[in-house]
């Protein structure tokens, strides 16, 4: 360990991996990146000025190893690379607790095992750090043989910029189950299904698809931005009284007790491991259903209408060009 700062190996250089590596280096940490030689992100890491080594070499001398690869490759990564090559008494860090919580990975007893999860995408984690702010982080401790695991997690979160915003302690169980539930019931599954159902309802009633797109998808950003800035209270302050009244009387008609009951079913499947078991089986089978579901979303009429309308939104094209100039890889890669 260099002074009070651990030497760090980042395994994976996707959106989160790149942001973590850059922020930690700028915070004064010695950071090495572990990547497959010739892999899609090795060149990018080297262009960013990092020493990129094969993962087994990168983790061998590190005090702390951060696993920032996709969930479904972590079990094999741990078995083949991390367990045999990490030094005695090192710290193993995850940004999502799925593999540890559901016991697909059983870390060596000598390792400190912690979780640090910034509450934002990698591009935001990096951007907020660069302008002197930070994204809130949550952290957890799973194993603490050294007695210093919590301090290591806090040090890492601070290096990301999290201490500039907020750092909250959680558990691997709480982070994993709430993260999966949020994605499935509200943020991804819930929101996209609600938008598709609203679009279909209007189009089937004879309204123009273009008008339906604007009303149920395009304008959703305006509402979500208000949620983000100040919660439901701020949203209600900025929409019309007519919209507020519609919220009060019609919202509970659409999202009623039966929806909450089904949300509880989703949560139960997450808590008892059913979702993870099914997801592992799907991944190991080559993703046949995953690919079918994904293609169905791509083929939904709202996507065709949306592509045509967005092509005429000049400001969106300008934003896309700006993001492309500094884009992170969309997939985490070892």
């Amino acid at each position: 360990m260099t002074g009070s700062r651990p030497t760090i190996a980042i395994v994976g250089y996707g959106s989160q991996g790149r942001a973590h590596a850059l922020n930690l280096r700028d915070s004064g940490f010695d950071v090495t990146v572990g990547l497959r030689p010739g892999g899609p992100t090795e060149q990018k890491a080297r262009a960013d000025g990092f020493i990129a080594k094969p993962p087994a070499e990168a983790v061998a001398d590190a005090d702390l190893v951060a696993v920032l690869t996709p969930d479904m490759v972590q079990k094999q990564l741990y078995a083949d690379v991390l367990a045999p090559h990490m030094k005695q008494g090192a710290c193993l860090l995850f940004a999502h607790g799925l593999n540890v919580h559901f016991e697909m990975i059983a870390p060596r007893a000598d390792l400190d095992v912690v979780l640090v999860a910034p509450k934002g995408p990698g591009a935001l984690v990096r951007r907020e750090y660069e302008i002197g702010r930070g994204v809130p982080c949550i952290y957890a401790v799973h194993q603490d043989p050294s007695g210093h695991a919590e301090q290591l997690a806090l040090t890492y979160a601070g290096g990301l910029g999290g201490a500039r915003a907020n750092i909250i302690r959680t558990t691997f169980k709480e982070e994993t189950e709430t993260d999966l539930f949020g994605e499935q019931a509200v943020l991804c599954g819930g929101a996209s299904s609600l938008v598709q159902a609203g679009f279909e309802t209007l189009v089937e009633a004879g309204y123009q698809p273009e008008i339906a797109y604007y009303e149920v998808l395009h304008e959703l950003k305006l509402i979500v931005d208000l949620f983000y800035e100040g919660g439901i209270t701020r949203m209600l302050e900025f929409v019309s009284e007519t919209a507020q009244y519609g919220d009060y009387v019609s919202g509970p008609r659409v999202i009623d007790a039966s929806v909450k009951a089904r949300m509880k079913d989703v949560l139960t499947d997450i808590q008892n491991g059913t979702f993870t078991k099914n997801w592992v089986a799907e991944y190991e089978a080559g993703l046949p259903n995953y690919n079918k579901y994904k293609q169905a979303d791509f083929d939904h009429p709202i996507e065709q209408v949306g592509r045509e309308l967005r092509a005429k939104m000049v400001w969106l094209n300008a934003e896309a060009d700006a993001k492309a100039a500094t884009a992170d890889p969309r997939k985490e890669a070892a």
Side-chain angles (χ1 to χ4, degrees):
M1 194 171 296
T2 306
S4 60
R5 294 180 182 275
T7 58
I8 296 173
I10 302 289
V11 183
Y13 204 70
S15 176
Q16 286 290 337
R18 183 172 187 263
H20 286 219
L22 290 169
N23 288 11
L24 290 163
R25 184 179 65 185
D26 289 351
S27 293
F29 290 86
D30 179 358
V31 178
T32 299
V33 179
L35 298 169
R36 291 192 305 272
T41 50
E42 182 188 29
Q43 184 176 355
K44 189 168 188 64
R46 292 188 187 280
D48 286 335
F50 287 104
I51 297 173
K53 299 179 179 180
E57 292 181 25
V59 306
D61 297 320
D63 299 315
L64 185 152
V65 174
V67 181
L68 299 173
T69 58
D71 290 331
M72 290 299 102
V73 305
Q74 290 181 10
K75 179 180 178 180
Q76 185 173 357
L77 173 69
Y78 177 77
D80 295 349
V81 176
L82 305 184
H85 294 104
M86 284 181 67
K87 69 182 183 180
Q88 194 79 10
C91 180
L92 181 61
L93 181 146
F94 295 88
H96 181 42
L98 185 143
N99 278 275
V100 172
H101 175 54
F102 288 111
E103 300 180 345
M104 291 181 286
I105 291 176
R108 285 177 2 207
D110 63 287
L111 299 175
D112 287 342
V113 181
V114 302
L115 178 148
V116 175
K119 301 313 292 178
L124 181 66
V125 172
R126 180 58 181 161
R127 185 166 66 250
E128 286 296 291
Y129 181 94
E130 288 182 301
I131 61 178
R133 299 192 301 237
V135 170
C137 291
I138 60 175
Y139 77 97
V141 175
H142 178 72
Q143 287 182 183
D144 187 17
S146 75
H148 303 296
E150 181 173 23
Q151 186 54 52
L152 283 167
L154 290 170
T155 297
Y156 187 97
L160 296 182
R164 301 171 180 173
N166 193 19
I167 301 177
I168 301 174
R169 179 157 184 163
T170 183
T171 64
F172 272 65
K173 170 183 169 65
E174 184 175 60
E175 185 278 334
T176 300
E177 293 176 359
T178 57
D179 184 81
L180 292 175
F181 176 80
E183 290 171 348
Q184 294 172 34
V186 180
L187 304 177
C188 301
S192 59
S193 293
L194 186 66
V195 165
Q196 288 174 339
F199 177 85
E200 291 166 5
T201 299
L202 288 176
V203 172
E204 289 165 7
Y207 299 104
Q208 296 179 69
E210 294 80 4
I211 301 299
Y213 175 89
Y214 281 127
E215 293 300 334
V216 304
L217 189 152
H218 180 80
E219 293 191 19
L220 183 62
K221 180 186 182 330
L222 308 177
I223 301 302
V224 170
D225 283 349
L226 292 171
F227 282 159
Y228 184 78
E229 293 166 6
I232 294 173
T233 298
R234 184 167 177 81
M235 182 273 287
L236 293 174
E237 289 173 354
F238 281 84
V239 300
S240 69
E241 291 178 337
T242 303
Q244 290 181 47
Y245 182 68
D247 175 319
Y248 305 144
V249 300
S250 297
R253 295 176 64 191
V254 176
I255 308 299
D256 61 8
S258 68
V259 173
K260 187 174 179 181
R262 290 190 293 277
M263 283 184 168
K264 289 182 177 180
D265 290 341
V266 168
L267 182 58
T268 296
D269 282 351
I270 290 168
Q271 292 171 325
N272 65 24
T274 298
F275 168 78
T276 298
K277 178 182 177 181
N278 291 343
W279 173 218
V280 169
E282 175 71 15
Y283 185 84
E284 292 178 346
L287 303 173
N289 294 304
Y290 170 96
N291 289 326
K292 180 178 67 176
Y293 299 146
K294 191 172 189 177
Q295 192 60 48
D297 273 351
F298 288 165
D299 293 340
H300 193 280
I302 199 172
E303 291 303 292
Q304 179 181 347
V305 172
R307 282 191 293 271
E308 294 171 358
L309 292 176
R310 289 190 298 272
K312 300 173 183 177
M313 300 178 193
V314 178
W315 67 92
L316 289 182
N317 296 330
E319 290 174 5
D321 290 343
K323 288 180 180 179
T326 58
D328 294 343
R330 294 186 64 191
K331 299 290 185 182
E332 313 295 331

